[in-house]
mmCIF file of all heavy atoms in Angstrom:
data_model
loop_
_atom_site.group_PDB
_atom_site.id
_atom_site.type_symbol
_atom_site.label_atom_id
_atom_site.label_comp_id
_atom_site.label_asym_id
_atom_site.label_seq_id
_atom_site.Cartn_x
_atom_site.Cartn_y
_atom_site.Cartn_z
ATOM 1 N N MET A 886 -16.428 -17.013 3.103
ATOM 2 C CA MET A 886 -15.248 -16.242 3.498
ATOM 3 C C MET A 886 -14.256 -16.104 2.353
ATOM 4 O O MET A 886 -13.365 -15.282 2.386
ATOM 5 C CB MET A 886 -14.517 -16.914 4.670
ATOM 6 C CG MET A 886 -15.349 -16.976 5.935
ATOM 7 S SD MET A 886 -14.558 -17.830 7.340
ATOM 8 C CE MET A 886 -13.030 -18.493 6.689
ATOM 9 N N HIS A 887 -14.396 -16.986 1.358
ATOM 10 C CA HIS A 887 -13.449 -16.998 0.246
ATOM 11 C C HIS A 887 -14.166 -16.618 -1.044
ATOM 12 O O HIS A 887 -14.541 -17.472 -1.819
ATOM 13 C CB HIS A 887 -12.863 -18.410 0.080
ATOM 14 C CG HIS A 887 -12.072 -18.889 1.251
ATOM 15 N ND1 HIS A 887 -10.778 -19.323 1.115
ATOM 16 C CD2 HIS A 887 -12.371 -18.995 2.562
ATOM 17 C CE1 HIS A 887 -10.318 -19.702 2.304
ATOM 18 N NE2 HIS A 887 -11.271 -19.515 3.193
ATOM 19 N N THR A 905 -7.814 -19.434 -3.329
ATOM 20 C CA THR A 905 -8.181 -18.389 -2.374
ATOM 21 C C THR A 905 -7.299 -18.429 -1.140
ATOM 22 O O THR A 905 -7.361 -17.546 -0.293
ATOM 23 C CB THR A 905 -9.645 -18.544 -1.940
ATOM 24 O OG1 THR A 905 -9.807 -19.836 -1.324
ATOM 25 C CG2 THR A 905 -10.583 -18.448 -3.134
ATOM 26 N N HIS A 906 -6.473 -19.476 -1.037
ATOM 27 C CA HIS A 906 -5.500 -19.596 0.047
ATOM 28 C C HIS A 906 -4.421 -20.592 -0.403
ATOM 29 O O HIS A 906 -4.552 -21.208 -1.468
ATOM 30 C CB HIS A 906 -6.153 -20.019 1.374
ATOM 31 C CG HIS A 906 -7.021 -21.254 1.315
ATOM 32 N ND1 HIS A 906 -7.549 -21.854 2.421
ATOM 33 C CD2 HIS A 906 -7.444 -22.011 0.262
ATOM 34 C CE1 HIS A 906 -8.258 -22.908 2.068
ATOM 35 N NE2 HIS A 906 -8.214 -23.029 0.762
ATOM 36 N N THR A 907 -3.348 -20.704 0.368
ATOM 37 C CA THR A 907 -2.285 -21.642 -0.019
ATOM 38 C C THR A 907 -2.527 -23.042 0.544
ATOM 39 O O THR A 907 -1.775 -23.968 0.268
ATOM 40 C CB THR A 907 -0.896 -21.130 0.450
ATOM 41 O OG1 THR A 907 -1.014 -20.636 1.784
ATOM 42 C CG2 THR A 907 -0.395 -20.028 -0.469
ATOM 43 N N SER A 908 -3.626 -23.214 1.295
ATOM 44 C CA SER A 908 -3.905 -24.515 1.913
ATOM 45 C C SER A 908 -4.041 -25.688 0.934
ATOM 46 O O SER A 908 -3.749 -26.823 1.327
ATOM 47 C CB SER A 908 -5.140 -24.414 2.811
ATOM 48 O OG SER A 908 -4.897 -23.478 3.846
ATOM 49 N N GLN A 911 -1.416 -28.236 1.155
ATOM 50 C CA GLN A 911 -1.406 -29.314 2.161
ATOM 51 C C GLN A 911 -1.733 -30.630 1.475
ATOM 52 O O GLN A 911 -1.056 -31.641 1.677
ATOM 53 C CB GLN A 911 -2.447 -29.039 3.257
ATOM 54 C CG GLN A 911 -2.155 -27.822 4.132
ATOM 55 C CD GLN A 911 -3.191 -27.678 5.238
ATOM 56 O OE1 GLN A 911 -3.772 -28.678 5.697
ATOM 57 N NE2 GLN A 911 -3.425 -26.456 5.694
ATOM 58 N N ARG A 932 -8.678 -13.171 -4.026
ATOM 59 C CA ARG A 932 -10.052 -13.150 -3.524
ATOM 60 C C ARG A 932 -10.832 -12.021 -4.180
ATOM 61 O O ARG A 932 -10.341 -10.895 -4.281
ATOM 62 C CB ARG A 932 -10.071 -13.004 -2.001
ATOM 63 C CG ARG A 932 -9.578 -14.298 -1.356
ATOM 64 C CD ARG A 932 -9.853 -14.396 0.113
ATOM 65 N NE ARG A 932 -9.047 -15.488 0.676
ATOM 66 C CZ ARG A 932 -8.900 -15.731 1.965
ATOM 67 N NH1 ARG A 932 -9.517 -14.959 2.839
ATOM 68 N NH2 ARG A 932 -8.160 -16.734 2.380
ATOM 69 N N GLN A 946 0.330 -15.548 0.859
ATOM 70 C CA GLN A 946 0.227 -16.308 2.098
ATOM 71 C C GLN A 946 1.466 -17.185 2.195
ATOM 72 O O GLN A 946 2.112 -17.477 1.185
ATOM 73 C CB GLN A 946 -1.014 -17.212 2.098
ATOM 74 C CG GLN A 946 -2.320 -16.461 2.330
ATOM 75 C CD GLN A 946 -3.499 -17.391 2.606
ATOM 76 O OE1 GLN A 946 -3.474 -18.580 2.275
ATOM 77 N NE2 GLN A 946 -4.546 -16.849 3.203
ATOM 78 N N GLU A 948 1.941 -20.906 3.717
ATOM 79 C CA GLU A 948 1.312 -22.066 4.344
ATOM 80 C C GLU A 948 2.394 -22.869 5.043
ATOM 81 O O GLU A 948 3.543 -22.892 4.596
ATOM 82 C CB GLU A 948 0.671 -22.930 3.243
ATOM 83 C CG GLU A 948 -0.261 -24.009 3.743
ATOM 84 C CD GLU A 948 -1.613 -23.428 4.144
ATOM 85 O OE1 GLU A 948 -1.878 -22.253 3.814
ATOM 86 O OE2 GLU A 948 -2.405 -24.141 4.777
ATOM 87 N N GLY A 949 2.030 -23.545 6.109
ATOM 88 C CA GLY A 949 2.989 -24.440 6.759
ATOM 89 C C GLY A 949 2.301 -25.757 7.082
ATOM 90 O O GLY A 949 1.097 -25.790 7.345
ATOM 91 N N PHE A 986 -11.437 -23.245 11.336
ATOM 92 C CA PHE A 986 -11.120 -23.479 9.923
ATOM 93 C C PHE A 986 -11.524 -24.920 9.649
ATOM 94 O O PHE A 986 -11.169 -25.808 10.424
ATOM 95 C CB PHE A 986 -9.618 -23.299 9.651
ATOM 96 C CG PHE A 986 -9.081 -21.945 10.049
ATOM 97 C CD1 PHE A 986 -8.441 -21.768 11.270
ATOM 98 C CD2 PHE A 986 -9.231 -20.849 9.210
ATOM 99 C CE1 PHE A 986 -7.949 -20.530 11.650
ATOM 100 C CE2 PHE A 986 -8.740 -19.595 9.579
ATOM 101 C CZ PHE A 986 -8.094 -19.430 10.800
ATOM 102 N N PHE A 988 -10.569 -27.321 7.889
ATOM 103 C CA PHE A 988 -9.567 -28.370 7.648
ATOM 104 C C PHE A 988 -8.655 -28.624 8.823
ATOM 105 O O PHE A 988 -7.689 -29.384 8.718
ATOM 106 C CB PHE A 988 -8.750 -28.037 6.392
ATOM 107 C CG PHE A 988 -8.448 -26.567 6.252
ATOM 108 C CD1 PHE A 988 -7.268 -26.046 6.750
ATOM 109 C CD2 PHE A 988 -9.362 -25.715 5.654
ATOM 110 C CE1 PHE A 988 -7.003 -24.690 6.645
ATOM 111 C CE2 PHE A 988 -9.099 -24.348 5.542
ATOM 112 C CZ PHE A 988 -7.914 -23.835 6.029
ATOM 113 N N VAL A 989 -8.944 -27.986 9.976
ATOM 114 C CA VAL A 989 -8.173 -28.279 11.187
ATOM 115 C C VAL A 989 -9.114 -28.503 12.360
ATOM 116 O O VAL A 989 -10.234 -27.984 12.384
ATOM 117 C CB VAL A 989 -7.179 -27.135 11.530
ATOM 118 C CG1 VAL A 989 -6.015 -27.111 10.555
ATOM 119 C CG2 VAL A 989 -7.877 -25.795 11.588
ATOM 120 N N VAL A 993 -6.944 -22.730 15.713
ATOM 121 C CA VAL A 993 -6.587 -21.607 16.591
ATOM 122 C C VAL A 993 -6.236 -20.374 15.763
ATOM 123 O O VAL A 993 -5.947 -20.465 14.566
ATOM 124 C CB VAL A 993 -5.353 -21.929 17.485
ATOM 125 C CG1 VAL A 993 -5.694 -23.006 18.494
ATOM 126 C CG2 VAL A 993 -4.146 -22.321 16.644
ATOM 127 N N GLY A 1020 -3.498 -18.009 11.317
ATOM 128 C CA GLY A 1020 -4.429 -19.081 11.639
ATOM 129 C C GLY A 1020 -3.648 -20.396 11.641
ATOM 130 O O GLY A 1020 -2.673 -20.546 10.929
ATOM 131 N N ALA A 1021 -4.122 -21.347 12.458
ATOM 132 C CA ALA A 1021 -3.401 -22.623 12.541
ATOM 133 C C ALA A 1021 -4.323 -23.681 13.128
ATOM 134 O O ALA A 1021 -5.478 -23.404 13.485
ATOM 135 C CB ALA A 1021 -2.146 -22.467 13.405
ATOM 136 N N GLY A 1022 -3.812 -24.888 13.226
ATOM 137 C CA GLY A 1022 -4.597 -25.940 13.864
ATOM 138 C C GLY A 1022 -4.008 -27.307 13.582
ATOM 139 O O GLY A 1022 -3.035 -27.438 12.846
ATOM 140 N N ALA A 1043 -1.038 -27.458 10.853
ATOM 141 C CA ALA A 1043 -0.903 -26.584 9.691
ATOM 142 C C ALA A 1043 -1.096 -25.151 10.153
ATOM 143 O O ALA A 1043 -1.703 -24.897 11.191
ATOM 144 C CB ALA A 1043 -1.944 -26.949 8.635
ATOM 145 N N PHE A 1044 -0.536 -24.235 9.374
ATOM 146 C CA PHE A 1044 -0.737 -22.815 9.692
ATOM 147 C C PHE A 1044 -0.684 -22.011 8.404
ATOM 148 O O PHE A 1044 -0.176 -22.464 7.376
ATOM 149 C CB PHE A 1044 0.321 -22.315 10.680
ATOM 150 C CG PHE A 1044 1.747 -22.557 10.242
ATOM 151 C CD1 PHE A 1044 2.424 -21.615 9.464
ATOM 152 C CD2 PHE A 1044 2.407 -23.728 10.593
ATOM 153 C CE1 PHE A 1044 3.734 -21.837 9.065
ATOM 154 C CE2 PHE A 1044 3.710 -23.958 10.177
ATOM 155 C CZ PHE A 1044 4.378 -23.014 9.417
ATOM 156 N N GLY A 1045 -1.281 -20.814 8.474
ATOM 157 C CA GLY A 1045 -1.245 -19.933 7.311
ATOM 158 C C GLY A 1045 -1.095 -18.502 7.781
ATOM 159 O O GLY A 1045 -1.765 -18.080 8.713
ATOM 160 N N LEU A 1046 -0.146 -17.782 7.165
ATOM 161 C CA LEU A 1046 0.000 -16.386 7.582
ATOM 162 C C LEU A 1046 0.149 -15.457 6.388
ATOM 163 O O LEU A 1046 0.485 -15.889 5.290
ATOM 164 C CB LEU A 1046 1.149 -16.218 8.576
ATOM 165 C CG LEU A 1046 2.567 -16.531 8.181
ATOM 166 C CD1 LEU A 1046 3.460 -15.420 8.618
ATOM 167 C CD2 LEU A 1046 2.987 -17.828 8.804
HETATM 168 N N1 LIG B 2283 -6.040 -21.064 4.845
HETATM 169 C C1 LIG B 2283 -6.496 -20.285 5.979
HETATM 170 C C2 LIG B 2283 -6.933 -18.911 5.454
HETATM 171 O O1 LIG B 2283 -6.673 -18.562 4.352
HETATM 172 C C3 LIG B 2283 -5.411 -20.101 6.992
HETATM 173 C C4 LIG B 2283 -5.056 -21.397 7.684
HETATM 174 C C5 LIG B 2283 -4.070 -22.196 7.184
HETATM 175 C C6 LIG B 2283 -5.687 -21.765 8.854
HETATM 176 C C7 LIG B 2283 -3.716 -23.387 7.794
HETATM 177 C C8 LIG B 2283 -5.365 -22.945 9.510
HETATM 178 C C9 LIG B 2283 -4.375 -23.736 8.948
HETATM 179 O O2 LIG B 2283 -7.548 -18.176 6.165
#
Side-chain angles (χ1 to χ4, degrees):
M886 296 177 355
H887 297 235
T905 60
H906 52 172
T907 43
S908 299
Q911 293 183 29
R932 289 194 194 170
Q946 284 192 340
E948 192 77 12
F986 303 97
F988 38 93
V989 288
V993 293
F1044 54 89
L1046 63 133

